[in-house]
Amino acid sequence: MTVREPFGSNPMILVSLAVHSGGICLFGTRRAFVTADGQIFPCERVPSKPPYFQIGTLEKGIDRKKVQQLLNDFTNPTEEECKHCWPLRMCNVGCLREMVDGGVPHPSKKQEECDRVRRQRHQELVGMCELFEKNPAALDHYNDIALS
């Protein structure tokens, strides 16, 4: 799953251009973390050593190629499987930091998490079906909620 160019002046345009499986964030668009020496990381949760997660510097800005590399490192190992995965839109496999060991991504770690998420989503749907079998109006109160 690739990010399409151009980023333009608004990096949030990425959200409408690509779907990234696993609920991964779009690095540098919302929670960028800047170290005291001016290094930019996707967020405060990723390690700053080794520099695998560094996506830029204050001096040079965000490195689009590095962002693309990180996204590819997360999505490419399971891209074909994700395309055919039934809970893709409910996926929250999570953060790339969980898939990296010793500074390099390990696709097997993501696969383990994918399997866990599929089991969890299945159980959630079974629970919803059981709930509606027992009480078809169980969630009707949500119809009265107005978002503004």
Side-chain angles (χ1 to χ4, degrees):
M1 319 232 178
T2 58
V3 177
R4 298 181 211 151
E5 289 289 343
F7 276 62
S9 61
N10 182 358
M12 287 306 293
I13 200 159
L14 292 171
V15 173
S16 64
L17 293 177
V19 171
H20 297 286
S21 58
I24 193 169
C25 65
L26 298 173
F27 306 121
T29 59
R30 290 191 181 209
R31 296 181 62 148
F33 175 73
V34 181
T35 63
D37 61 350
Q39 297 177 26
I40 302 173
F41 291 87
C43 72
E44 75 285 355
R45 295 177 181 174
V46 298
S48 57
K49 302 283 187 225
Y52 171 75
F53 289 105
Q54 184 179 348
I55 59 172
T57 64
L58 284 179
E59 188 175 291
K60 294 181 181 178
I62 292 178
D63 180 348
R64 295 177 188 175
K65 288 182 181 178
K66 180 62 180 194
V67 170
Q68 180 70 55
Q69 176 197 340
L70 288 174
L71 289 170
N72 288 343
D73 287 352
F74 185 81
T75 59
N76 287 353
T78 57
E79 182 173 8
E80 283 305 310
E81 184 174 300
C82 290
K83 285 180 183 178
H84 305 288
C85 186
W86 66 267
L88 175 65
R89 300 286 185 206
M90 299 179 287
C91 184
N92 68 336
V93 165
C95 182
L96 180 61
R97 80 175 186 273
E98 303 298 331
M99 314 306 157
V100 174
D101 186 24
V104 293
H106 287 276
S108 62
K109 288 188 169 207
K110 183 176 181 190
Q111 189 59 55
E112 291 170 10
E113 188 64 9
C114 289
D115 294 343
R116 185 195 66 76
V117 167
R118 274 193 291 275
R119 286 190 304 273
Q120 180 180 350
R121 293 296 170 261
H122 177 263
Q123 286 303 109
E124 290 167 354
L125 291 172
V126 166
M128 290 293 288
C129 289
E130 290 172 351
L131 173 68
F132 285 126
E133 283 176 358
K134 292 177 184 172
N135 181 3
L139 302 179
D140 283 355
H141 61 280
Y142 285 110
N143 293 331
D144 298 328
I145 296 174
L147 301 176
S148 55

